[in-house]
Every structure is written in structure tokens, then in C-alpha cells.
Amino acid sequence: DDHLQLLTSGLSTAPPRQQTLHATIEWSYRLLDRTEKAILNQLSVFRGGFPLEAAEQVVSGAGIAPRQVIPVVANLVDKSLLTTYETRLGTRYRLLESVRQYASHRFEETADTTTIYRRHQRWCLALINDLWERAVGTGQSDLTEALESESDNLRAALDWSRTASDHPAVVVLSQALGW
């Protein structure tokens, strides 16, 4: 469950930043500016992948302007902290799981997580509503593909909604995952 603890020691002759996976990620993290750190930390709420629009909706606010998100995401890709991949539905972004876990630990330490988790939940619920509205006839194949590509995010939003005792959201998210 915790990739960062998987490698607890390395070559004693290697530089400290290369002795463990945690040290390597921490070294890269320290090279980021404050905004890059904040956005990376907040992106850790996403599981699996996410489209750029989702990042803009979830991350912008609380000192981060919407216009800052795209350039920072591009910088994080350039710094190999985010990866991109193509699907039939468009370009998606993803944090490697060990990087996501590191950023998540940092996020839990330094921020009001409730606001970001609530935005992530709202984004998931809005996505579901949009997909249901378009799921008529031939739109069902797009619905299935979109739900499959977002299943990790929907599960994360469901887990948070259960923890927050947001029962209406739990019902909607459960139905979407069941479909």
C-alpha cells in the first residue's frame, strides 16, 4: 500500500538523494517552487488519470489562479512528476503512484484538505451528471469508456464522501460505479 516504504535502503555509496525512492522523490520535490508544490500536492486527490479540465476545476482557488494551472501542469510533466497518455476521449495526466503517495502525504500535512476533496467530489458528480445526460443511444459506449477511465477517481470520491457522511453523494457515486 505504501510504495515509498518499499525501498528503505540503497547503496551506501550513492548520493543521499539516490539511496531510497523516498529520498529521490523528496529531492525532486524540493526543486519545485511554492506554486508547483501546492498544485502537485492537490493533484494527489486524483487516482488513476485525469483530464486537464479536471485539474483546473479542482486545483484553482485558494491562492491558485485558473491561469496558473496549465503552465504548472506542463512544468510538472517536463520534470517527470506527471505523465501524459492519450485515450480515445483525449489527453490524460497521471501521477506515478509513488509520487502521488508522496504528494498526498505532503498535502495532508500542509493544507486544508477538505476543500480540495470537496472540489474533487463535485467534479466527479458533475461528470456523472454530464455523462447521464449524454448517455442516449450511441452515447452509451462513450459513457462506459468515460466511467471506466474515471473509476479510480469515482472510488476516491466515494471513499471521501462516506468519510464525510455525504449520503446523497455516496448514492450517486455508487450508482455510477455500479453501472
Side-chain angles (χ1 to χ4, degrees), residues 15-62:
R17 70 177 184 272
Q18 295 175 357
Q19 288 181 4
T20 66
L21 180 59
H22 184 273
T24 301
I25 295 170
E26 188 168 338
W27 178 76
S28 294
Y29 185 83
R30 286 183 183 160
L31 296 175
L32 301 176
D33 68 30
R34 194 172 49 125
T35 303
E36 289 171 328
K37 288 176 183 176
I39 290 177
L40 179 67
N41 292 349
Q42 291 177 29
L43 289 175
S44 72
V45 301
F46 289 101
R47 303 295 190 274
F50 55 90
L52 188 56
E53 308 81 53
E56 289 177 303
Q57 290 176 27
V58 172
V59 171
S60 60

Side-chain angles (χ1 to χ4, degrees), residues 4-174:
L4 295 177
Q5 297 306 315
L6 180 64
L7 301 176
T8 56
S9 64
L11 292 174
S12 59
T13 58
R17 70 177 184 272
Q18 295 175 357
Q19 288 181 4
T20 66
L21 180 59
H22 184 273
T24 301
I25 295 170
E26 188 168 338
W27 178 76
S28 294
Y29 185 83
R30 286 183 183 160
L31 296 175
L32 301 176
D33 68 30
R34 194 172 49 125
T35 303
E36 289 171 328
K37 288 176 183 176
I39 290 177
L40 179 67
N41 292 349
Q42 291 177 29
L43 289 175
S44 72
V45 301
F46 289 101
R47 303 295 190 274
F50 55 90
L52 188 56
E53 308 81 53
E56 289 177 303
Q57 290 176 27
V58 172
V59 171
S60 60
I64 298 173
R67 66 180 178 358
Q68 290 177 290
V69 175
I70 293 174
V72 170
V73 165
N75 288 344
L76 294 173
V77 170
D78 290 343
K79 294 174 182 181
S80 300
L81 292 169
L82 272 177
T83 60
T84 63
Y85 60 99
E86 294 296 325
T87 68
R88 193 174 69 79
L89 300 174
T91 302
R92 293 181 61 81
Y93 296 82
R94 178 175 177 263
L95 285 103
L96 298 176
E97 187 56 24
S98 49
V99 173
R100 193 199 66 73
Q101 286 181 4
Y102 179 87
S104 180
H105 289 302
R106 297 303 294 248
F107 178 56
E108 297 291 333
E109 293 172 356
T110 62
D112 171 22
T113 60
T114 302
T115 302
I116 301 304
Y117 281 113
R118 175 82 57 203
R119 285 189 201 145
H120 180 257
Q121 176 204 50
R122 276 188 265 154
W123 174 77
C124 288
L125 293 170
L127 173 72
I128 291 167
N129 286 335
D130 181 54
L131 291 172
W132 289 145
E133 289 175 10
R134 294 185 302 154
V136 178
T138 59
Q140 287 184 4
S141 65
D142 287 345
L143 170 69
T144 302
E145 189 170 343
L147 286 174
E148 284 178 14
S149 67
E150 297 301 348
S151 64
D152 291 332
N153 282 313
L154 297 176
R155 281 189 189 92
L158 174 63
D159 289 344
W160 185 83
S161 298
R162 279 196 314 237
T163 302
S165 298
D166 188 343
H167 303 295
V170 168
V171 171
V172 172
L173 290 161
S174 297

